[in-house]
Amino acid sequence: MERVIFWNNKGGTGKTTLAFQILCEYAWQNKKKKILVIDVCPQANISELLLGGLNQGGSDVLLMRQGENPRATIGGYFQMRLPSPYSVPSFNPKDYLTKPHRYNSYISDNIDLLCGDAMLELQSNAISTLANNQIPGTNTWIAIINWLNDFIQPIEKEYDIVFLDANPSFSMYTQIAIATSSKVVLPVMADDSSRRAIQNAFSLIYGLKLPSEIYSKYAFAEKLREVDMKLPKVYLVLKNRLTQYMGAASAYATVLEAIDRDVVSLLETHPSIFSFSFLTEGIMNIRDFQTVGVVSVARGCPFQLLKAGRLELMGKRVAVKEDYRQNCIANVEKIVSKMNKEL
């Protein structure tokens, strides 16, 4: 079963919006497949979108799920693990899962969700401390890294694919999410900070180009290799929010070409970290979603089901143009078509 994580250690790349559209389209095209979404982000944005967005009270539903006993979020699951961090206690993963379709009819009923939770930030220091404890005969870091693997294992046969959305950090809970994954989708923007961020991403996950050898033994990749755990492979680099009509506008062309060169260089020197062999197989251009994206997110409604015309958005009338909507659908379908063939 593939586990696909959307992650970049730089914020503002449109990661969550892309994840929402892609996983919803995948679910819509593959109605017989069961999909698990894990929101490993304190902001819990993808949870709010799946549960209804701004217009349908997605945040209120999330608060309600956080008030359940047990708390039906990733924070609730981690809270249960804190007293038993190094051995798996008896628990039912379904106690923590939510069916978004019950609250948001736009979402396919073959999607289940482990909601995000702001409590992750409060738990972060405790989780890191537990991971760095020295206990003879116990690899405490690996025990913590496997928390989400422990969650998935009892229900793994019930799902065909897992999508994870992680926040732009490399905190311990983000490392848990990455270690759980088999494929990485890296959204980037047409700016130099995105280029640096993608270089940093390869350093953080794969230990490439570390500033000093002193960091090597502490590197995420090295710790996984020590226990023969597989690193996820880079599956897609999505160049997001390119100019609607001009593609990669000339003002950004230099940065975009530099990102291409960086990836080509790594394909030559470290091919094992990629799931593709050629640049054209792993890099895709995504046009701006513009107003269509804003309305889609606010309504918690994927592009495929969004109606064109003048729609109400928080008391205002907003125009959604059909040709723009079709452009958005085409962008997402291109990615999902690749996933349908390969995942």
Side-chain angles (χ1 to χ4, degrees):
M1 180 181 67
E2 296 286 5
R3 304 171 182 185
V4 181
I5 187 167
F6 291 79
W7 176 76
N8 190 326
N9 64 313
K10 177 186 182 298
T13 59
K15 171 186 56 64
T16 297
T17 301
L18 284 169
F20 171 71
Q21 299 295 346
I22 290 166
L23 72 89
C24 285
E25 179 67 20
Y26 184 90
W28 191 78
Q29 289 190 24
N30 298 277
K31 292 183 171 62
K32 292 184 178 180
K33 290 188 176 182
K34 286 291 296 295
I35 294 136
L36 176 60
V37 179
I38 300 179
D39 187 352
V40 194
C41 180
Q43 303 299 325
N45 290 329
I46 202 163
S47 297
E48 292 183 341
L49 296 184
L50 289 167
L51 296 173
L54 188 64
N55 252 34
Q56 298 186 78
S59 59
D60 294 333
V61 176
L62 180 60
L63 285 171
M64 179 190 72
R65 296 301 286 158
Q66 290 173 351
E68 301 288 348
N69 187 19
R71 188 179 180 99
T73 66
I74 190 170
Y77 168 64
F78 280 6
Q79 181 172 296
M80 183 271 294
R81 291 303 306 267
L82 287 171
S84 179
Y86 312 125
S87 59
V88 185
S90 176
F91 75 100
N92 184 354
K94 294 182 180 180
D95 290 342
Y96 300 92
L97 295 179
T98 299
K99 177 74 73 175
H101 181 74
R102 293 176 183 168
Y103 308 98
N104 181 4
S105 61
Y106 293 131
I107 304 304
S108 298
D109 63 3
N110 55 339
I111 294 176
D112 288 343
L113 168 68
L114 179 60
C115 294
D117 196 329
M119 195 161 65
L120 280 176
E121 288 291 9
L122 297 174
Q123 295 168 334
S124 183
N125 286 341
I127 294 170
S128 296
T129 300
L130 291 167
N132 290 294
N133 279 342
Q134 301 297 314
I135 300 176
T138 300
N139 188 327
T140 56
W141 188 85
I142 289 296
I144 301 295
I145 276 291
N146 274 314
W147 275 11
L148 279 179
N149 283 322
D150 295 339
F151 182 89
I152 293 170
Q153 193 276 327
I155 54 175
E156 187 169 14
K157 293 181 179 179
E158 298 181 28
Y159 294 96
D160 296 283
I161 191 168
V162 179
F163 289 105
L164 301 98
D165 185 42
N167 71 324
S169 77
F170 204 63
S171 59
M172 194 61 201
Y173 55 81
T174 308
Q175 293 179 48
I176 291 171
I178 293 170
T180 305
S181 308
S182 57
K183 298 280 192 298
V184 180
V185 176
L186 279 167
V188 298
M189 298 279 283
D191 56 47
D192 201 48
S193 60
S194 271
R195 186 192 178 192
R196 291 193 301 272
I198 200 170
Q199 292 170 340
N200 291 339
F202 287 115
S203 292
L204 291 169
I205 298 180
Y206 305 107
L208 304 182
K209 297 183 180 179
L210 293 173
S212 168
E213 287 296 319
I214 199 169
Y215 296 104
S216 297
K217 67 178 180 179
Y218 303 110
F220 174 79
E222 186 59 32
K223 288 184 176 183
L224 291 186
R225 290 190 190 106
E226 285 176 359
V227 294
D228 294 322
M229 281 183 67
K230 292 182 178 180
L231 287 161
K233 292 181 180 290
V234 177
Y235 179 59
L236 278 174
V237 178
L238 301 179
K239 294 177 180 176
N240 193 24
R241 296 178 179 167
L242 301 185
T243 305
Q244 183 78 27
Y245 296 109
M246 297 174 60
S250 57
Y252 305 114
T254 302
V255 176
L256 294 170
E257 289 167 5
I259 290 173
D260 287 352
R261 288 195 300 272
D262 290 345
V263 174
V264 167
S265 176
L266 288 169
L267 277 168
E268 293 172 352
T269 57
H270 297 85
S272 63
I273 70 175
F274 296 92
S275 66
F276 54 91
S277 301
F278 302 99
L279 193 69
T280 53
E281 297 173 346
I283 289 192
M284 290 187 175
N285 295 334
I286 310 297
R287 292 183 176 181
D288 298 19
F289 291 154
Q290 297 187 337
T291 302
V292 182
V294 173
V295 176
S296 172
V297 164
R299 289 183 161 228
C301 177
F303 296 141
Q304 196 68 252
L305 299 178
L306 190 67
K307 294 181 179 180
R310 296 191 67 81
L311 305 176
E312 184 176 331
L313 182 65
M314 302 303 294
K316 296 182 179 180
R317 302 288 288 179
V318 180
V320 172
K321 297 181 179 180
E322 178 61 14
D323 57 339
Y324 280 26
R325 189 182 77 92
Q326 289 299 331
N327 279 334
C328 293
I329 291 172
N331 273 266
V332 176
E333 284 183 337
K334 178 173 61 174
I335 299 167
V336 172
S337 176
K338 177 180 172 67
M339 290 181 168
N340 285 338
K341 294 173 184 176
E342 299 173 354
L343 301 184

